[in-house]
Amino acid sequence: MPTPTTRPLTLDPAAQDLLFRRARTVDRFTDEPVTEEAIRAVHELVRDGPTAFNQQPLRMLLLRSAESRSRLAPHLSRGNREKTLRAPLTALLAVDIRFHHRLPQLFPAYPGAADLYAKNPALRERSALLNGGLQAAYFLIGVRAAGLAAGPMSGFDDEGVDREFFPDGDLRSLLVVNIGRPAGPPPRPRGPRLSYDEVCTTL
Amino acid sequence: MPTPTTRPLTLDPAAQDLLFRRARTVDRFTDEPVTEEAIRAVHELVRDGPTAFNQQPLRMLLLRSAESRSRLAPHLSRGNREKTLRAPLTALLAVDIRFHHRLPQLFPAYPGAADLYAKNPALRERSALLNGGLQAAYFLIGVRAAGLAAGPMSGFDDEGVDREFFPDGDLRSLLVVNIGRPAGPPPRPRGPRLSYDEVCTTL
């Protein structure tokens, strides 16, 4: 059944389907490898997404080797282990909470930005989490734009993951994302979504 | 100059341009109104984006009236006031930190999810911020999918905004987003973006 198109959108219906309407979170993938070229293309597309003061706090570890995956697995919730060990590629998304050191280069229009964050670590962590969240979503959209499926997960012990992968203490893990091509249809229908009237109020 | 296409992407080049490559954060808009129909279409597209346990914590106040905008303006950083008062529409994005009450309906596959968050307010706030960040990014992409431009801002006193608009204490403001059609070209070139090799490491 073709997805009904919504007139006020400029984005063409095939792209709407690819990025949102037909895209699903995926748990089981085919064995087809995810190339570095594909992930480079995703990055090259979504790096343009906006962040506050162009801070771009998101960093990514691409866990390709069996050894790197086996370091992650013990920190995942039980139900997330097997599917992660079997995915063609797993991306560990994290944020650099010392992103402010790069602001003079990334946002020269406001020279005071780095100081603002240097003085206030709580603001900096919150800002890294929010803007890293924006960039994580751009990345998920980018994975779909590459014709791949993503399986994002927050079911893991983030302090354990940080100790294992980021011992310097500059990075905080956000999401683990399995990436590949879906093996078969989704196991269940899409969960219910909140309606416009449940989430939007006009003043 | 046409944007060079990147072969490994499935998304067609026009959509790549619309959502990322040619899209820019916008400060000055034409007077053309942004219809409720357009925002409903954006919501109807991006509500499908994934969140942890399908929690969907994002809520939105659409500030249409001059009176609602004048309640917001004093809490914005000085440089953000005038452009917000002049934008055709301003969306105040916030997260519901009591989202867990809806999980039995939104994610029936894991009945324990609501309890997990009920017991741990710090986890709940962090999760609302991260997943609200994902949804905020889906919304920004959706605004662009509707052929509109967004001007997202985090330069505001979020505690002041929360007191003014969310006195019940259940919502925390995330972003203020001006929406409309750009009046003229962007005032400056796009800021520098971090390269693949600066943000990605393969293990």
Side-chain angles (χ1 to χ4, degrees):
Chain A
M1 196 179 70
T3 303
T5 63
T6 306
R7 265 193 309 105
L9 296 179
T10 301
L11 186 69
D12 82 90
Q16 295 177 31
D17 283 353
L18 180 69
L19 302 183
F20 289 104
R21 298 188 197 280
R22 290 184 175 272
R24 294 290 305 276
T25 288
V26 167
D27 271 0
R28 293 188 313 116
F29 300 91
T30 69
D31 292 335
E32 188 181 332
V34 175
T35 63
E36 183 183 317
E37 186 191 18
I39 303 299
R40 280 189 183 267
V42 170
H43 170 265
E44 196 267 327
L45 177 68
V46 305
R47 67 181 180 187
D48 283 339
T51 54
F53 297 134
N54 195 27
Q55 62 181 245
Q56 305 172 67
L58 196 72
R59 302 292 180 268
M60 196 156 23
L61 278 186
L62 298 172
L63 307 181
R64 283 198 179 279
S65 65
E67 190 262 339
S68 67
R69 232 68 83 74
S70 71
R71 289 169 56 198
L72 177 65
H75 304 287
L76 300 177
S77 63
R78 210 168 295 275
N80 286 339
R81 287 178 198 166
E82 188 63 21
K83 64 188 181 193
T84 300
L85 290 169
R86 295 165 69 110
L89 180 64
T90 300
L92 170 55
L93 308 190
V95 287
D96 181 356
I97 57 166
R98 291 164 58 82
F99 67 84
H100 57 301
H101 290 293
R102 304 203 65 163
L103 290 181
Q105 167 212 352
L106 296 176
F107 201 75
Y110 176 29
D115 261 12
L116 183 82
Y117 288 113
K119 282 190 295 213
N120 192 338
L123 172 71
R124 198 165 76 231
E125 285 214 34
R126 187 179 188 277
S127 193
L129 180 58
L130 173 58
N131 287 282
L134 296 179
Q135 286 189 285
Y138 304 146
F139 177 74
L140 296 175
I141 299 287
V143 166
R144 292 169 170 188
L148 296 164
M153 295 175 287
S154 50
F156 59 91
D157 167 16
D158 51 312
E159 291 178 14
V161 170
D162 291 353
R163 274 193 305 272
E164 177 65 34
F165 289 97
F166 311 122
D168 290 349
D170 289 355
L171 296 178
R172 298 273 186 280
S173 56
L174 278 192
L175 275 183
V176 173
V177 184
N178 292 325
I179 303 171
R181 294 193 189 275
R188 52 174 179 251
R190 194 193 290 285
R193 291 307 197 264
L194 297 174
S195 71
Y196 179 86
D197 296 313
E198 286 173 299
V199 300
C200 293
T201 306
T202 299
L203 293 184
Chain B
M1 196 179 70
T3 303
T5 63
T6 305
R7 268 192 308 105
L9 296 179
T10 301
L11 187 70
D12 81 90
Q16 295 177 30
D17 283 354
L18 180 70
L19 302 183
F20 289 104
R21 298 189 196 280
R22 290 185 176 273
R24 294 290 305 276
T25 288
V26 167
D27 271 358
R28 292 186 316 114
F29 301 92
T30 70
D31 292 335
E32 188 181 333
V34 175
T35 63
E36 183 184 317
E37 187 192 16
I39 303 299
R40 281 188 183 267
V42 170
H43 170 265
E44 197 266 329
L45 177 68
V46 305
R47 67 182 179 185
D48 283 338
T51 54
F53 298 134
N54 195 27
Q55 63 182 242
Q56 304 171 69
L58 197 73
R59 302 292 179 268
M60 195 156 23
L61 278 186
L62 298 172
L63 306 181
R64 284 198 179 279
S65 66
E67 190 262 339
S68 68
R69 232 68 83 76
S70 72
R71 289 169 56 198
L72 176 66
H75 304 287
L76 299 177
S77 63
R78 210 168 295 274
N80 287 337
R81 287 178 198 165
E82 188 64 21
K83 64 187 180 191
T84 300
L85 290 168
R86 296 166 69 109
L89 180 64
T90 299
L92 170 55
L93 307 191
V95 288
D96 181 357
I97 56 165
R98 291 164 58 80
F99 67 84
H100 57 302
H101 290 295
R102 305 203 65 164
L103 290 181
Q105 167 213 350
L106 297 176
F107 200 74
Y110 176 27
D115 261 13
L116 183 83
Y117 288 113
K119 282 189 296 211
N120 192 337
L123 172 72
R124 200 165 75 232
E125 285 215 37
R126 186 178 189 278
S127 192
L129 181 58
L130 172 58
N131 286 282
L134 297 178
Q135 287 189 284
Y138 304 147
F139 178 74
L140 296 175
I141 299 288
V143 166
R144 292 169 170 188
L148 296 164
M153 296 174 287
S154 50
F156 58 92
D157 167 16
D158 51 312
E159 289 178 13
V161 170
D162 290 352
R163 275 193 304 272
E164 178 65 35
F165 290 96
F166 311 122
D168 291 348
D170 290 353
L171 297 178
R172 298 272 185 281
S173 55
L174 280 192
L175 275 182
V176 173
V177 185
N178 292 326
I179 302 171
R181 292 191 191 278
R188 51 174 178 250
R190 193 194 291 283
R193 292 306 198 265
L194 298 174
S195 70
Y196 180 85
D197 296 312
E198 286 173 299
V199 300
C200 293
T201 306
T202 299
L203 294 184

